[in-house]
């Protein structure tokens, strides 16, 4: 049967999600497959991930599928796999899906969070899960600028060099900023994202909050398709993949996940 896994991980000690040719390079996917192979006693078992995250990036809602023959009920797999995984990777859910379900191609949207810690001095406890900004940020202006990202646009100006995608057009359903004490959190939900796109959006909105870029300039930056006009690429540790949404996947006729307002 095909099993859809939901995975949470702390990406601090990993070279991203995707496994590399060299076994010496530690990745989340590589560690997950290693644990799954031990659990199911299948040395050739491989998983198919929904999203590639970079080195240092975290996840609470990564998704991947595996094809296995097992007597372990799907809902028991998160408990069975625990002892085969390092403490910074946890399978939080497992469910059976149809054999033609694909975690990447069937995805309808994803939500990322980017976390900023704003204070006069950094907090060492937050250094691995947020980016530190010592200057005051105008959250109202950041939210004004965030609105310009919503809709369907060509986001070439917010794509890092080295991307090989055929199209840089993406749709952003939601983009907003929230503040809670010293934490400023950016939430972005879209149908897909370009290489470093969310981190560039975050860096641009930080510049807006600092008064370096006017909120009204965001639309013209998007239209320019010029990466040089957008802000810096924010650091990876502030980024977390929160959730991946699926419209419908067959599980004995039941929906496993429907998009919801975020």
């Amino acid at each position: 049967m095909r099993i859809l896994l939901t995975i949470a991980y702390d990406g601090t000690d990993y070279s991203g999600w995707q496994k590399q040719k060299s076994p010496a390079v530690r990745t989340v996917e590589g560690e997950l497959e290693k644990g799954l192979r031990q659990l199911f006693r299948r040395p050739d078992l491989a998983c198919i991930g929904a999203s590639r995250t970079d080195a240092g990036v975290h996840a609470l809602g990564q998704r991947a599928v595996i094809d296995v023959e097992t007597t372990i009920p799907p809902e028991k797999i998160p408990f069975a796999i625990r002892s085969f995984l390092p403490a910074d990777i946890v399978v939080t859910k497992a469910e059976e899906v149809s054999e033609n379900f694909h975690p990447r191609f069937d995805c309808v949207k994803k939500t990322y969070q980017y976390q900023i810690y704003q204070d006069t001095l950094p907090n060492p406890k937050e250094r691995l899960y947020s980016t530190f900004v010592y200057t005051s940020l105008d959250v109202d202006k950041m939210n004004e600028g965030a609105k310009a990202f919503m809709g369907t646009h060509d986001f070439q100006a917010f794509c890092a060099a080295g991307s090989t995608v055929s199209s840089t057009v993406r749709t952003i359903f939601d983009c907003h900023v929230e503040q809670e004490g010293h934490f400023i959190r950016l939430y972005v939900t879209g149908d897909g994202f370009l290489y470093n796109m969310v981190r560039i959006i975050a860096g641009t909105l930080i510049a807006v909050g600092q008064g370096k870029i006017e909120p009204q300039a965001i639309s013209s930056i998007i239209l320019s398709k010029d990466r040089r006009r957008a802000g810096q690429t924010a650091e990876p540790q502030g980024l977390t993949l929160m959730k991946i949404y699926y419209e419908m996947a067959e599980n004995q006729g039941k929906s496993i996940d429907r998009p919801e307002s975020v």
Side-chain angles (χ1 to χ4, degrees):
M1 54 185 169
R2 175 156 287 196
I3 303 295
L4 175 65
L5 306 174
T6 302
I7 309 112
Y9 51 85
D10 180 334
T12 302
D13 295 330
Y14 296 96
S15 297
W17 161 264
Q18 189 177 19
K19 62 185 175 185
Q20 305 296 313
K21 291 181 179 178
S22 170
V25 179
R26 196 163 180 252
T27 66
V28 179
E29 185 180 34
E31 291 297 318
L32 178 63
E33 284 189 354
K34 189 187 302 182
L36 290 166
R37 289 170 180 175
Q38 290 178 291
L39 173 64
F40 295 110
R41 298 179 182 178
R42 281 268 311 278
D44 60 339
L45 188 148
C47 64
I48 303 172
S51 187
R52 299 175 184 176
T53 55
D54 291 336
V57 174
H58 315 292
L60 293 178
Q62 174 68 282
R63 305 277 196 131
V65 294
I66 54 172
D67 294 317
V68 293
E69 291 182 11
T70 179
T71 57
I72 303 173
E75 66 273 14
K76 299 295 185 182
I77 291 175
F79 304 97
I81 190 68
R82 270 191 71 186
S83 61
F84 297 102
L85 293 176
D88 50 10
I89 301 176
V90 176
V91 174
T92 60
K93 189 176 182 181
E95 52 204 312
E96 185 178 357
V97 292
S98 64
E99 62 181 12
N100 60 355
F101 175 85
H102 196 287
R104 182 157 54 93
F105 300 140
D106 288 339
C107 166
V108 294
K109 62 181 182 178
K110 304 175 185 178
T111 295
Y112 280 91
Q113 177 203 80
Y114 193 88
Q115 181 164 267
I116 301 158
Y117 185 82
Q118 194 279 312
D119 202 354
T120 53
L121 290 170
N123 183 336
K125 288 179 64 179
E126 303 300 336
R127 74 191 189 284
L128 302 178
Y129 310 105
S130 59
T131 190
F132 169 65
V133 176
Y134 68 88
T135 54
S136 296
L137 298 177
D138 189 325
V139 175
D140 290 337
K141 283 191 174 182
M142 292 174 73
N143 263 316
E144 186 181 344
K147 292 177 183 177
F149 291 107
M150 294 173 63
T152 302
H153 308 286
D154 187 330
F155 285 101
Q156 187 173 334
F158 294 86
C159 179
S163 175
T164 57
V165 295
S166 58
S167 173
T168 50
V169 175
R170 298 291 186 273
T171 299
I172 299 299
F173 304 112
D174 178 74
C175 186
H176 72 277
V177 180
E178 299 177 1
Q179 183 168 17
E180 181 183 359
H182 292 291
F183 294 101
I184 297 171
R185 300 182 180 101
L186 164 67
Y187 294 90
V188 187
T189 299
D191 62 354
F193 295 94
L194 303 169
Y195 182 41
N196 283 350
M197 180 174 163
V198 179
R199 289 168 58 191
I200 298 171
I201 290 175
T204 303
L205 289 177
I206 289 172
V208 169
Q210 293 171 326
K212 297 177 180 179
I213 297 176
E214 290 299 316
Q216 299 84 356
I218 299 295
S219 294
S220 64
I221 293 172
I222 294 172
L223 289 171
S224 75
K225 303 180 185 179
D226 186 350
R227 172 67 187 90
R228 295 169 297 179
R229 291 190 57 188
Q232 294 183 347
T233 304
E235 296 173 313
Q237 72 272 15
L239 188 62
T240 299
L241 172 58
M242 300 296 286
K243 190 168 183 179
I244 297 175
Y245 301 83
Y246 298 106
E247 185 128 357
M248 178 77 75
E250 293 302 323
N251 179 12
Q252 298 177 350
K254 298 179 182 179
S255 169
I256 63 163
D257 200 354
R258 288 186 179 277
E260 54 193 58
S261 298
V262 295

